[in-house]
Amino acid sequence: MTSSKIIDCEEVITDIVKEAMSRTDDARLKKIMALLVQHLHAFVRETNLTDQELETGLDFIARIGQATRDDHNEAILASDVLGVSTLVAYRNNPQEQGQSAKALLGPFWRDGAPECEPGDNIARSDTRGIPMFVKGVVRNIAGQPIPDTLVDVWQASPVGMYENQDPDQVNMNLRGKFRTDSQGRYRFRTVRPAGYPVPTHGPIGELLRAQNRSPFRPAHIHFMVSAPEYKTLITQIFADDAEHLHSDVVFGVTKPLIGHFESHDRPNPEYPDAPDHYVTLTYDFVLEEGTRTFPRPPIK
């Protein structure tokens, strides 16, 4: 490394910048910033980035921030459509011991969803759609049920909109929190969700159009499963017959997260109040021991 802080050629720029950022007492910050500078400078050199391209890129980043509001998070959307969210989720949540697969949080989770009784319906508006019954068991890696687990669920409507996007839905529609019973079981009622396009009104929409990419996500239900002394699981379960299953714009679909959305046209004593046609999903979750944490809500 050069001892001079005066830049006299391109070759010394990266080392001088890294040295200036190395004085922190935070070892993790030091490592992250050194690698960020190293790779960012390598990107500039490899692409031969022009002044105009830098200006365009900085404007793009600024507009991501400007497009982020209480009811919309363009920054998380950017991370999602670039595949970063899925990559981080995959790397930080191994499945070798049978743990359930993690998925990205997405930009639509809200804190404060109402706590519900087992079997309650989270479709609180006049949400027309195919009735759906969801159930499962939460266990640990040893196969033991975990009672009093909090199962936080949220989803899009049958027309592909979350309630914060849709003035026709009441506050917290299609959102709810459920507690598992002594045998680790959870259950709730809802309506079958639809796939939907991610918001495209901002700079990320411009990027998708420039890349000729579809903005659509396949139909899914979000889950956040948490219990004391266990690592919080944030995931999504996708309909096995969903359109766009193989082309999710945010790369969120992995094989373990494809659930069987089973259609029924006959009465079943397990669902005595079901109509003539309904859908069921049975999906179990496996948590690993760890620290229970919760993410920062992307929207309010």
Side-chain angles (χ1 to χ4, degrees), residues 11-57:
E11 287 71 23
V12 303
I13 296 175
T14 301
D15 283 342
I16 289 176
V17 173
K18 288 169 63 177
E19 194 280 330
M21 295 186 175
S22 67
R23 302 163 196 164
T24 177
D25 294 328
D26 187 327
R28 181 62 178 167
L29 176 62
K30 179 178 179 179
K31 180 177 181 179
I32 288 174
M33 292 307 301
L35 287 171
L36 175 63
V37 169
Q38 187 74 39
H39 290 294
L40 190 58
H41 286 211
F43 167 80
V44 170
R45 292 186 172 99
E46 186 174 348
T47 60
N48 290 316
L49 199 69
T50 67
D51 291 335
Q52 184 178 6
E53 288 167 342
L54 175 61
E55 181 180 339
T56 299

Side-chain angles (χ1 to χ4, degrees), residues 14-291:
T14 301
D15 283 342
I16 289 176
V17 173
K18 288 169 63 177
E19 194 280 330
M21 295 186 175
S22 67
R23 302 163 196 164
T24 177
D25 294 328
D26 187 327
R28 181 62 178 167
L29 176 62
K30 179 178 179 179
K31 180 177 181 179
I32 288 174
M33 292 307 301
L35 287 171
L36 175 63
V37 169
Q38 187 74 39
H39 290 294
L40 190 58
H41 286 211
F43 167 80
V44 170
R45 292 186 172 99
E46 186 174 348
T47 60
N48 290 316
L49 199 69
T50 67
D51 291 335
Q52 184 178 6
E53 288 167 342
L54 175 61
E55 181 180 339
T56 299
L58 294 176
D59 177 69
F60 182 78
I61 293 171
R63 289 191 295 118
I64 288 175
Q66 291 162 358
T68 299
R69 306 179 302 272
D70 285 350
D71 61 349
H72 173 76
N73 197 310
E74 191 82 359
I76 287 183
L77 183 60
S79 177
D80 291 352
V81 303
L82 292 173
V84 174
S85 300
T86 291
L87 180 60
V88 171
Y90 214 91
R91 288 181 56 83
N92 284 279
N93 295 272
Q95 302 167 49
E96 287 81 1
Q97 295 179 287
Q99 306 99 312
S100 291
K102 189 178 186 295
L104 53 87
L105 176 68
F108 294 110
W109 178 64
R110 295 178 63 193
D111 196 10
E115 287 220 22
C116 308
E117 294 298 318
D120 275 359
N121 193 345
I122 61 172
R124 300 180 183 87
S125 296
D126 183 19
T127 309
R128 300 177 184 272
I130 300 173
M132 184 170 184
F133 298 83
V134 184
K135 66 176 181 177
V137 179
V138 181
R139 300 184 177 91
N140 59 22
I141 292 174
Q144 301 165 327
I146 309 177
D148 202 35
T149 297
L150 185 64
V151 181
D152 188 347
V153 298
W154 67 102
Q155 66 170 83
S157 72
V159 297
M161 298 183 72
Y162 290 84
E163 44 74 55
N164 64 291
Q165 301 174 299
D166 186 357
D168 292 331
Q169 296 184 52
V170 300
N171 185 45
M172 292 294 178
N173 188 45
L174 297 174
R175 300 176 187 268
K177 295 178 180 177
F178 297 84
R179 298 275 179 180
T180 59
D181 64 15
S182 61
Q183 297 179 2
R185 299 174 299 190
Y186 73 92
R187 59 187 177 92
F188 64 93
R189 179 172 175 170
T190 182
V191 288
R192 179 174 176 137
Y196 58 86
V198 297
T200 58
H201 62 275
I204 298 305
E206 296 173 15
L207 177 65
L208 294 176
R209 288 187 288 274
Q211 296 174 327
N212 295 316
R213 290 173 59 186
S214 166
F216 276 86
R217 300 213 64 205
H220 58 277
I221 300 176
H222 292 267
F223 291 82
M224 186 183 302
V225 187
S226 62
E229 301 180 359
Y230 288 92
K231 188 176 180 179
T232 298
L233 172 68
I234 299 171
T235 195
Q236 306 171 32
I237 308 303
F238 297 87
D240 51 351
D241 60 352
E243 190 178 4
H244 311 293
L245 194 63
H246 297 278
S247 58
D248 182 8
V249 67
V250 301
F251 313 101
V253 180
T254 60
K255 288 184 177 180
L257 299 182
I258 300 175
H260 182 38
F261 282 38
E262 184 175 2
S263 294
H264 302 267
D265 295 303
R266 297 180 180 178
N268 186 324
E270 188 174 358
Y271 309 103
D273 58 342
D276 293 338
H277 178 63
Y278 60 99
V279 175
T280 60
L281 168 66
T282 300
Y283 200 93
D284 297 343
F285 297 103
V286 178
L287 303 186
E288 65 175 306
E289 292 185 0
T291 303

